[in-house]
């Protein structure tokens, strides 16, 4: 009887212990589940926070990119404006340079009209006034057009206006030719002789001797013509005029 009671007591004790153990295990499981939930919630919150921050960072990045794009467009606009201004400046500089060139050319042309310049006539170089050159050229142009009367008047006027001109010897020569064409042989002889006396080394001096002799022949002064031809051959023996003079001397004998 006592044994049975002891067994029952032991069994009761074991049941109590087993029940307590089961209860203990349920509490641990609940705490574990609670811990897991807390960890999950914490992880989910962290993920949510990370996602929110990423979204905010992404939005900020987009704003930065948009701002950068706007800045680039603004710089492009400024660059285009600067290029336009640079083109305007280049055109302005070109206009100024053209204006300066035109002004310089205009000044040079005006100076050429009033300042003496070096000229070359019949192998002779000298300085002449613009008006002086213009008048000589005009007189010579008349002669070339066979306007002998006009040329005679123009050369007489020129010699009177510019008695010391470098054109004087050439003017006397062409004046004599104009007078020969007009059959003013006496005046022609005078001007050919004056030309030779003034510049015996002039390139046209041999021709002047020959033309003077021709004028003297026309005046029926064979003696004077012979002397002119002999002087020509003696003074300018290598000239073409001298060869012609020799032929005429042979015919005058």
């Amino acid at each position: 009887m006592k044994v049975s009671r002891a067994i029952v007591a032991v069994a009761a004790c074991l049941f109590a212990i087993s029940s307590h153990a089961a209860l203990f295990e349920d509490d641990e499981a609940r705490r574990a589940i609670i811990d897991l939930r807390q960890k999950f919630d914490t992880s989910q919150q962290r993920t949510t926070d990370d996602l929110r921050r990423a979204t905010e960072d992404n939005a900020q990045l987009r704003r930065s990119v948009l701002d950068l794009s706007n800045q680039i467009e603004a710089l492009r606009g400024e660059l285009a404006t600067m290029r336009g201004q640079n083109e305007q400046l280049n055109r302005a500089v070109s206009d100024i340079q053209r204006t300066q060139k035109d002004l310089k050319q205009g000044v040079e042309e005006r100076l050429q009209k009033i300042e003496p310049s070096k000229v070359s006539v019949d192998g002779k170089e000298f300085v002449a006034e613009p008006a002086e050159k213009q008048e000589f050229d005009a007189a010579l142009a008349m002669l070339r057009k066979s306007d002998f009367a006009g040329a005679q008047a123009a050369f007489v006027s020129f010699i009177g206006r510019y008695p010391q001109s470098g054109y004087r010897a050439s003017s006397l020569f062409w004046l004599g030719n104009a007078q020969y064409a007009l059959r003013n042989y006496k005046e022609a002889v005078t001007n050919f002789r004056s030309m030779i006396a003034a510049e015996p080394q002039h390139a046209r001096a041999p021709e002047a001797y020959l033309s003077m002799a021709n004028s003297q022949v026309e005046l029926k002064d064979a003696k004077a013509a012979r002397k002119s031809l002999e002087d020509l051959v003696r003074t300018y023996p290598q000239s073409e005029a001298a060869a012609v003079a020799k032929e005429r001397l042979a015919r005058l004998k």
Side-chain angles (χ1 to χ4, degrees):
M1 185 69 172
K2 289 181 180 179
V3 174
S4 299
R5 288 179 180 174
I7 293 172
V8 172
V10 170
C13 182
L14 289 172
F15 178 77
I17 292 172
S18 176
S19 297
H20 181 74
L23 180 62
F24 176 78
E25 290 177 357
D26 289 342
D27 291 339
E28 289 293 326
R30 280 193 295 269
R31 281 196 297 273
I33 291 171
I34 291 171
D35 289 339
L36 286 174
R37 284 179 178 175
Q38 290 176 346
K39 290 179 180 180
F40 176 77
D41 291 340
T42 301
S43 177
Q44 188 176 22
Q45 183 63 40
R46 187 180 298 113
T47 301
T48 300
D49 293 340
D50 292 341
L51 181 60
R52 177 178 54 77
R53 284 194 296 270
T55 301
E56 292 175 352
D57 292 343
N58 187 37
Q60 181 63 37
L61 180 60
R62 288 181 179 179
R63 286 193 295 272
S64 298
V65 171
L66 181 59
D67 290 342
L68 181 59
S69 178
N70 291 335
Q71 292 176 8
I72 292 173
E73 289 300 322
L75 289 173
R76 286 177 178 173
E78 292 177 2
L79 181 59
T81 300
M82 291 177 64
R83 285 176 177 172
Q85 293 175 346
N86 188 44
E87 291 176 358
Q88 291 178 352
L89 287 173
N90 288 335
R91 286 194 294 270
V93 170
S94 298
D95 291 341
I96 292 173
Q97 290 175 341
R98 281 194 298 270
T99 300
Q100 290 178 339
K101 182 178 180 181
D102 292 341
L103 289 173
K104 181 180 178 181
Q105 184 176 356
V107 170
E108 290 177 351
E109 290 176 352
R110 287 193 291 272
L111 289 176
Q112 288 175 358
K113 293 180 180 179
I114 61 175
E115 287 190 346
S117 61
K118 183 178 290 187
V119 297
S120 178
V121 177
D122 295 328
K124 178 183 177 181
E125 289 190 351
F126 54 93
V127 175
E129 299 286 342
E132 179 183 357
K133 180 179 184 303
Q134 184 177 2
E135 290 185 31
F136 176 83
D137 290 342
L140 190 59
M142 291 180 188
L143 184 67
R144 287 171 176 168
K145 292 178 181 179
S146 299
D147 182 4
F148 302 117
Q152 176 181 243
F155 280 119
V156 168
S157 174
F158 180 87
I159 293 169
R161 188 186 299 272
Y162 305 102
Q164 304 301 320
S165 172
Y167 287 108
R168 178 177 173 79
S170 295
S171 296
L172 288 169
F173 175 79
W174 293 118
L175 173 59
N177 278 276
Q179 290 169 333
Y180 181 88
L182 293 171
R183 299 183 181 182
N184 296 329
Y185 304 120
K186 187 175 181 179
E187 291 84 353
V189 169
T190 299
N191 287 308
F192 286 131
R193 185 176 284 118
S194 296
M195 182 264 186
I196 295 168
E199 292 191 35
Q201 301 304 317
H202 194 278
R204 294 193 181 277
E207 296 178 52
Y209 262 118
L210 189 59
S211 296
M212 182 169 63
N214 291 338
S215 298
Q216 291 165 336
V217 168
E218 296 293 340
L219 290 170
K220 309 301 182 182
D221 191 350
K223 182 180 179 179
R226 180 180 295 278
K227 183 178 185 307
S228 295
L229 293 173
E230 289 174 349
D231 290 343
L232 168 57
V233 173
R234 184 181 63 257
T235 308
Y236 309 100
Q238 303 302 319
S239 65
E240 294 181 4
V244 176
K246 291 177 182 179
E247 294 179 359
R248 293 188 180 177
L249 281 170
R251 290 199 299 270
L252 284 174
K253 289 181 181 180

